[in-house]
Amino acid sequence: MMFQYEIVWIILILIVVSIIWSVIKGRKRAREIRNAGASLNLREATKSDKKALQDSIHQSRLFTDGSSWPKTVLVGDVNGVRFTLADYNFHRGTTKSKTKETTLLTIQSNSLRLPPFTLMPSGWLIDSLSSMVGYRDINFDSHPQFSKQYLLRAFDEDDQSNEFSRYEEASSSAFKEGANEQVVRELFGHELLDVLETNSGVSLDGRGNQFILRRFTNQRIPADDLTAFVELGVKILSLLSTK
């Protein structure tokens, strides 16, 4: 009986230590992203800022159905461009045991006139399914490496279906040539394709006057890489903006 009590106490102690470590780790990460944000002239987000981010996430095809919530959110305005840098949690299905973590950047600018599109990294599973079922992927003869690394998909303005991902089946629209396909093809010029080829693993979701950038992993962007991540977003903005 005494041995059983000892086991229970050990389990309880491990749970408490795990919770304390999680809190310490979360506070350390919050300090890191705030420090990086300060160097980029980003401030703590207000409730309305977070609501705007949530609305953008809900419209995005980079996240499948499920609950999502921001952790640390920073915003800033530079020359009429709104930047939102956020650590974000989301999960698929009904259980939070599948919670995923990511860092994302949204950029909103009146210089953007984007048709709905998504860009996501390629992979053997989704490639195999795509080739079998005829899923439409925009490729570029001039950049075979880009076409190998990424799946680029255009959507019509009224198409609210989800993107074909590693977690979902494709909607019927995934096989049709949309009205915006040529527009998206022209949007991805040589310089943008070059940039994306050298930054493999990123995902983009664009629509109207904004786009969302994230790396297609379930990990935060390391603190030392946050500035480079924002700079990548600025570079993509300059290449997507209307001349």
Side-chain angles (χ1 to χ4, degrees), residues 28-195:
K28 179 176 181 291
R29 172 60 182 182
R31 285 196 302 270
E32 290 174 344
I33 193 172
R34 289 188 181 107
N35 289 339
S39 67
L40 297 166
N41 295 318
L42 302 179
R43 58 172 173 80
E44 196 80 21
T46 64
K47 287 185 179 180
S48 62
D49 294 327
K50 293 181 179 180
K51 176 63 166 58
L53 175 62
Q54 288 281 53
D55 291 342
S56 296
I57 292 297
H58 291 160
Q59 295 177 20
S60 170
R61 294 179 173 87
L62 297 183
F63 301 86
T64 55
D65 291 339
S67 298
S68 54
W69 59 100
K71 301 295 285 184
T72 304
V73 182
L74 305 175
V75 299
D77 297 281
V78 180
N79 297 325
V81 180
R82 165 60 62 97
F83 295 89
T84 305
L85 178 66
D87 276 347
Y88 210 81
N89 285 5
F90 63 100
H91 70 85
R92 302 179 179 91
T94 58
T95 173
K96 289 191 177 182
S97 64
K98 299 180 180 179
T99 296
K100 310 298 182 182
E101 297 181 332
T102 190
T103 302
L104 58 87
L105 176 71
T106 69
I107 296 183
Q108 184 176 2
S109 171
N110 290 333
S111 67
L112 294 173
R113 304 283 191 279
L114 302 177
F117 74 86
T118 57
L119 176 79
M120 60 187 297
S122 184
W124 71 268
L125 175 58
I126 195 169
D127 285 345
S128 299
L129 292 172
S130 300
S131 61
M132 285 190 297
V133 301
Y135 177 79
R136 297 193 65 83
D137 173 29
I138 300 175
N139 294 311
F140 298 86
D141 293 338
S142 62
H143 288 73
Q145 185 61 30
F146 170 88
S147 299
K148 181 180 179 180
Q149 290 175 204
Y150 287 105
L151 292 169
L152 176 60
R153 171 87 168 100
F155 294 86
D156 292 338
E157 298 293 341
D158 59 350
D159 185 356
Q160 299 299 318
S161 59
N162 286 326
E163 174 64 282
F164 182 28
S165 74
R166 293 175 177 81
Y167 312 104
E168 296 179 335
E169 295 182 356
S171 66
S172 60
S173 62
F175 317 114
K176 303 174 184 177
E177 180 175 3
N180 283 319
E181 191 166 312
Q182 186 59 34
V183 180
V184 171
R185 179 179 293 278
E186 294 172 356
L187 185 67
F188 279 70
H190 287 278
E191 191 174 355
L192 178 56
L193 295 173
D194 290 340
V195 168

